[in-house]
Amino acid sequence: MIMKRYFSYVILIVVFLVICSCATEYQIINSIVEEKMNLLGIENCHITRLGEIPESEYTDEEINVSVSEIEENIQLELESYEKLKPVNRNVVRKGDFVNLTYTVYCEDKIVNEVKGEEIKVGAGFFNKEIEKKLIGAKKDKTYIINIQVPEDDENTKFAGKIEVIKYQVNEIHYMFKPKLTDKFVQKNYGLKSVEAFYEYKKEHIKEEKETELINQKREDIIEELIEKSSFNMDRNYILDYAEVVYHEYKDMATGYGSSIEEFIKDFFNENLDQFYERCCNEAEKEIKKFLIIGAIANKINVVISNKDIEMKYENLNSDTLSKSDFTMYKYQLLEEKVFDYLIQEKQ
């Protein structure tokens, strides 16, 4: 009887140990992904089960380019060649671009001074009343205009008050717009004709659409695998990585010339708490993506050599790169190879 109980007890211990070992069994991930995660300070985050990998492919038939898309793209391209050129007259007309210097006075005090601002007369982007007065103005002559600031003006300090604006037209310009001709495309693109330029733009747009399609398929696959897979995630490291995501957005806001608060409001219409929750969710998803890429790379045995890196990224010498930069390049190439395996073009 005692032996029976002892045997049952041993069995229970064995079963318990097996269950525990299964619960803590992690999928092996590629060493390059481990390097990247270590570099980012991400620890104690593991994938315990990799879900079934979905099949994904695409064909050329999925990518269509319309004539209107080509023409719109060409129009934007031509706009990049637009430039201001001087007008051979001294009097401003509606539609001109003028280089303006002005001083704004309110209650006999200077409240604003601007030198060399370029505005289009009659466009209404500057000030309709001032633009109207500019028509007929002569170059290099000083003019004075009085305007009343609207009662509901954002700047309550000057709302409803009279401003005196002293201004001078420095230069009068017109906007030169190039015409799409054979000569233009020969000079700027090395192509023979406008027809060849249309074909060139069509292929360019098609390549962009193909990239968008592949990126969307990548996103869909990762989302599906996150749903199907299991993870053991340390919340503290997710929160740490959320700070990295937050600062990436902050740098983006600086690039747009706005504060992070303005950026959040304009792009997401969220408050800071809601936005930080967004960063946490993005951080968790990104870490899970690393783990999935690592598990798949290990499963299909992806190997990245220094030569692979140098062939992929031209003029890159792996010997002169810092260890962290080299890790990032290796991961980028590893991720590409994994996605090439996951998404294939159907012939």
Side-chain angles (χ1 to χ4, degrees):
M1 192 71 170
I2 293 173
M3 286 297 293
K4 233 175 174 183
R5 283 182 187 167
Y6 177 76
F7 183 72
S8 299
Y9 178 70
V10 170
I11 291 294
L12 283 171
I13 291 175
V14 170
V15 170
F16 177 76
L17 290 173
V18 168
I19 292 172
C20 289
S21 65
C22 289
T24 58
E25 185 179 344
Y26 303 137
Q27 291 277 316
I28 300 172
I29 64 173
N30 188 279
S31 60
I32 294 172
V33 178
E34 284 185 313
E35 284 179 37
K36 180 180 174 73
M37 291 177 66
N38 289 335
L39 189 64
L40 295 171
I42 302 168
E43 299 177 24
N44 294 341
C45 293
H46 307 279
I47 179 168
T48 57
R49 182 178 62 83
L50 177 65
E52 184 181 348
I53 298 171
E55 292 183 6
S56 185
E57 58 186 15
Y58 69 96
T59 64
D60 276 346
E61 283 72 26
E62 291 181 72
I63 307 165
N64 298 309
V65 181
S66 67
V67 174
S68 61
E69 284 178 303
I70 298 170
E71 289 177 345
E72 184 180 345
N73 191 279
I74 287 174
Q75 214 36 58
L76 289 172
E77 189 91 2
L78 290 175
E79 285 176 12
S80 68
Y81 288 91
E82 291 180 356
K83 57 184 175 182
L84 293 172
K85 288 191 173 185
V87 172
N88 189 26
R89 55 181 155 79
N90 293 325
V91 180
V92 177
R93 295 176 185 170
K94 186 176 180 179
D96 285 342
F97 288 81
V98 297
N99 185 283
L100 202 65
T101 293
Y102 60 91
T103 305
V104 181
Y105 301 85
C106 189
E107 297 177 339
D108 297 326
K109 292 181 181 177
I110 295 175
V111 295
N112 195 14
E113 282 186 290
V114 177
K115 293 182 179 180
E117 181 166 354
E118 199 79 38
I119 69 167
K120 184 177 182 181
V121 179
F125 299 135
F126 181 68
N127 180 289
K128 288 183 180 180
E129 192 174 344
I130 295 173
E131 289 176 37
K132 190 176 179 180
K133 291 285 185 181
L134 278 169
I135 298 172
K138 292 182 179 180
K139 184 179 168 184
D140 297 328
K141 185 176 178 180
T142 301
Y143 295 88
I144 295 176
I145 180 176
N146 296 339
I147 64 169
Q148 184 171 15
V149 180
E151 294 286 352
D152 59 351
D153 194 81
E154 290 181 3
N155 192 336
T156 55
K157 184 178 178 181
F158 301 108
K161 294 182 179 179
I162 299 295
E163 287 185 338
V164 179
I165 302 171
K166 186 178 179 180
Y167 64 91
Q168 176 183 299
V169 175
N170 305 313
E171 297 288 343
I172 306 173
H173 299 120
Y174 75 97
M175 183 64 75
F176 168 76
K177 297 182 179 182
K179 292 181 180 179
L180 186 60
T181 62
D182 290 347
K183 187 177 179 180
F184 175 82
V185 296
Q186 287 164 9
K187 178 183 176 182
N188 295 286
Y189 297 91
L191 299 170
K192 290 183 178 180
S193 63
V194 170
E195 186 180 349
F197 185 59
Y198 264 75
E199 283 302 314
Y200 162 78
K201 293 306 292 182
K202 181 179 180 179
E203 287 304 310
H204 179 71
I205 295 168
K206 190 174 181 180
E207 286 173 10
E208 287 183 340
K209 284 191 165 189
E210 182 179 21
T211 300
E212 288 174 10
L213 175 68
I214 292 171
N215 287 341
Q216 186 57 57
K217 286 186 178 290
R218 287 181 174 189
E219 187 74 16
D220 292 343
I221 285 174
I222 291 299
E223 297 224 354
E224 187 175 341
L225 279 170
I226 286 175
E227 288 295 320
K228 291 180 176 178
S229 304
S230 301
F231 304 88
N232 189 338
M233 308 286 283
D234 189 321
R235 183 69 179 170
N236 291 323
Y237 287 100
I238 293 174
L239 295 177
D240 287 344
Y241 192 55
E243 287 290 331
V244 175
V245 174
Y246 174 82
H247 283 289
E248 285 175 354
Y249 275 119
K250 197 171 182 180
D251 290 342
M252 199 182 298
T254 302
Y256 278 98
S258 65
S259 66
I260 185 64
E261 291 81 8
E262 291 170 332
F263 181 84
I264 293 168
K265 185 179 179 181
D266 292 343
F267 283 83
F268 302 108
N269 195 27
E270 296 175 347
N271 60 38
L272 273 172
D273 289 338
Q274 291 169 325
F275 181 69
Y276 192 68
E277 186 62 32
R278 172 187 291 275
C279 292
C280 291
N281 292 336
E282 286 189 19
E284 182 174 355
K285 181 180 175 180
E286 189 72 8
I287 293 170
K288 286 179 177 179
K289 175 187 170 183
F290 294 153
L291 294 168
I292 285 170
I293 293 294
I296 295 173
N298 181 66
K299 184 176 181 177
I300 62 177
N301 195 28
V302 177
V303 178
I304 306 292
S305 67
N306 289 14
K307 188 176 179 181
D308 291 331
I309 299 287
E310 290 170 357
M311 285 178 66
K312 173 66 179 178
Y313 305 102
E314 294 179 11
N315 304 319
L316 185 71
N317 186 345
S318 57
D319 295 329
T320 61
L321 282 175
S322 66
K323 186 177 179 181
S324 59
D325 286 342
F326 190 48
T327 297
M328 291 302 186
Y329 279 114
K330 284 195 295 184
Y331 175 79
Q332 286 175 21
L333 187 52
L334 178 84
E335 186 179 284
E336 281 190 29
K337 288 197 173 189
V338 168
F339 278 122
D340 284 346
Y341 167 80
L342 294 174
I343 307 168
Q344 297 178 9
E345 183 176 3
K346 189 175 180 180
Q347 303 298 328

